[in-house]
Amino acid sequence: AFFSLMGNLVYPSLSSLVSGSVEPESVGEALGAVNGVKALTEGIGPLVFGSLMTLSEKSALPGWPYLLAALLVVAAYQATQDLPDPTN
């Protein structure tokens, strides 16, 4: 519940950043893409990681889905390092 709350608090700022970083005629398309990804992750994320948590209950490392999630966050952070710098 905490992460859902934090995600919903960050979403307005994300929408503002996205709408301010695209051309005025592309704002609707950009916000639609952000909303689509948000809806997709809100639906698929709990299904996938809920299933992984169920599978991991009897393993030697019962919290390995959290480790997997952490690795995915690190990979996403590293991918953002390759994005162009908007100040240049």
Side-chain angles (χ1 to χ4, degrees), residues 45-56:
L47 290 173
V48 170
F49 280 95
S51 299
L52 291 177
M53 288 300 289
T54 301
L55 290 173
S56 74

Side-chain angles (χ1 to χ4, degrees), residues 17-61:
L17 286 172
V18 168
S19 64
S21 64
V22 297
E23 297 296 324
E25 59 272 359
S26 300
V27 171
E29 185 177 341
L31 290 176
V34 169
N35 282 329
V37 169
K38 182 177 185 267
L40 189 66
T41 57
E42 286 176 346
I44 292 177
L47 290 173
V48 170
F49 280 95
S51 299
L52 291 177
M53 288 300 289
T54 301
L55 290 173
S56 74
E57 286 177 352
K58 294 180 175 63
S59 71
L61 182 62

